[in-house]
Amino acid sequence: MRSTRFAALTAGAALAASCAPSVVSTAQPAADWRPVPAVGAVEPSDTVKNAPASAWRDVDPNNLLIMELKNGAKIAIELAPQFAPVHVANIRAFARAGWWNNATIYRVQDNYVVQWGNGDAENPLPPGVVKTPPAEYDRPLAGLQVRPLYYPDAYAPKVGHVDGWPVGYDPASGRAWLTHCYAHVGVGRDLAPDTGTGGELYAVIGHAPRHLDLNIATVGRVLEGFDKLTSIQRGTEALGFIKDPANHVPIARIRVAADMPAAERPAFEVMRSDSEAFSAYVLGRANRGGTFFNRPAGGVDLCNVNVPVRRKP
């Protein structure tokens, strides 16, 4: 059943947490401890505003989904075929077959995910969809140009950005993977070895659940209209499922932007993570100053970098 997709993965999380031993540290930071700010950091908003055209890359319309809700809201989602090519190909096939026409958003779990789909476990799949995709939870590090983030991370040996995507990576194993940051989109699945087809998707609406990294295929992120998803009333059933189907949020359709008439097709740009502007942006995120911050953090979490996105001028 579609209700078990992805939800089954999280069912044991609370039990595991309750059984974990309690560890209390009595260590205290030194009284004179202060973060060390970087010299010359520029406010991130100023960096974005002044970034040259060369610091931005176009979002390929073949990698752009436009979700239209029946209430008129539109949500733009960029796909990442370089990290999950089979799942992304499936998602394009689902969109082009009208799979999500009249489907619904049926799960909204506070501080976690919003999920939508059309019952890929019960309904016949469209032609061209791979029923059992490989576990595209990571990929070879070779061939990727990583802009490292030089701050500690709790979930990966190293983290950084590839073409504007936040990634974890391990030089020892030679693997890299997309991370579960806010607004990122993943594939709903049942218990392993099931990997999900891409017909059931979810987006992260809370604190980044990085424990899902390397366990679920992350396939994209919301670029615009995310407030239309985060503002949906939370489900009252276990794991945030919406009890009454009458309260499910209806989806009119989801299309690949490349298939839309040019006049209707939105165009977006993402800041290139190999640009000087992005390096300055990260420095600014890690060392907020100005008239508000008097204690710069001296560091930043991968998912708090918030890679800049804008409508194409």
Side-chain angles (χ1 to χ4, degrees), residues 41-43 287-296:
V42 177
E43 273 296 290
N287 298 279
R288 302 299 298 272
T291 58
F292 184 85
F293 291 91
N294 57 15
R295 285 180 57 128

Side-chain angles (χ1 to χ4, degrees), residues 106-303:
Y106 56 84
R107 179 190 181 197
V108 187
Q109 186 171 1
D110 191 45
N111 196 33
Y112 207 35
V113 299
V114 55
Q115 187 169 341
W116 63 92
N118 194 25
D120 66 351
E122 299 96 354
N123 298 321
L125 300 179
V129 170
V130 177
K131 185 176 181 179
T132 308
E136 296 179 311
Y137 307 151
D138 64 355
R139 57 149 289 165
L141 179 58
L144 295 180
Q145 183 177 352
V146 182
R147 191 275 182 202
L149 188 65
Y150 297 107
Y151 304 108
D153 185 83
Y155 293 93
K158 292 183 179 296
V159 292
H161 291 83
V162 172
D163 202 22
W165 294 95
V167 300
Y169 63 101
D170 182 3
S173 66
R175 308 297 293 179
W177 55 92
L178 281 183
T179 53
H180 272 74
C181 294
Y182 184 77
H184 279 213
V185 176
V187 174
R189 70 167 175 86
D190 221 321
L191 299 178
D194 177 49
T195 60
T197 64
E200 304 287 317
L201 298 173
Y202 64 89
V204 175
I205 62 170
H207 184 76
R210 293 282 307 283
H211 55 285
L212 298 177
D213 293 357
L214 295 170
N215 288 287
I216 296 182
T218 309
V219 293
R221 62 181 165 200
V222 179
L223 300 181
E224 186 179 85
F226 199 41
D227 58 311
K228 307 303 188 298
L229 298 179
T230 60
S231 60
I232 298 173
Q233 184 174 354
R234 276 39 179 166
T236 58
E237 298 300 286
L239 302 175
F241 286 95
I242 300 171
K243 182 176 182 179
D244 186 352
N247 293 327
H248 292 182
V249 178
I251 298 170
R253 58 183 173 177
I254 299 180
R255 292 182 287 176
V256 178
D259 300 339
M260 299 170 62
E264 298 179 27
R265 184 190 309 155
F268 296 92
E269 293 180 327
V270 174
M271 184 173 279
R272 289 176 43 198
S273 50
D274 61 348
S275 66
E276 292 184 9
F278 187 78
S279 293
Y281 174 76
V282 172
L283 191 68
R285 292 292 297 178
N287 298 279
R288 302 299 298 272
T291 58
F292 184 85
F293 291 91
N294 57 15
R295 285 180 57 128
V300 65
D301 178 80
L302 175 68
C303 288

Side-chain angles (χ1 to χ4, degrees), residues 20-183:
S22 176
V23 178
V24 179
S25 173
T26 58
Q28 298 295 322
D32 60 350
W33 179 88
R34 291 291 187 277
V36 180
V39 177
V42 177
E43 273 296 290
S45 58
D46 291 336
T47 297
V48 174
K49 180 175 62 177
N50 297 319
S54 60
W56 301 87
R57 67 162 174 84
D58 291 344
V59 173
D60 186 341
N62 283 297
N63 295 331
L64 184 62
L65 292 182
I66 305 300
M67 174 194 288
E68 301 173 45
L69 306 184
K70 287 194 174 180
N71 62 12
K74 293 183 179 180
I75 298 96
I77 299 171
E78 183 183 19
L79 301 174
Q82 63 270 53
F83 288 92
V86 179
H87 282 91
V88 167
N90 274 4
I91 290 168
R92 291 196 195 103
F94 278 121
R96 286 169 171 152
W99 177 261
W100 291 292
N101 297 0
N102 301 310
T104 65
I105 297 169
Y106 56 84
R107 179 190 181 197
V108 187
Q109 186 171 1
D110 191 45
N111 196 33
Y112 207 35
V113 299
V114 55
Q115 187 169 341
W116 63 92
N118 194 25
D120 66 351
E122 299 96 354
N123 298 321
L125 300 179
V129 170
V130 177
K131 185 176 181 179
T132 308
E136 296 179 311
Y137 307 151
D138 64 355
R139 57 149 289 165
L141 179 58
L144 295 180
Q145 183 177 352
V146 182
R147 191 275 182 202
L149 188 65
Y150 297 107
Y151 304 108
D153 185 83
Y155 293 93
K158 292 183 179 296
V159 292
H161 291 83
V162 172
D163 202 22
W165 294 95
V167 300
Y169 63 101
D170 182 3
S173 66
R175 308 297 293 179
W177 55 92
L178 281 183
T179 53
H180 272 74
C181 294
Y182 184 77

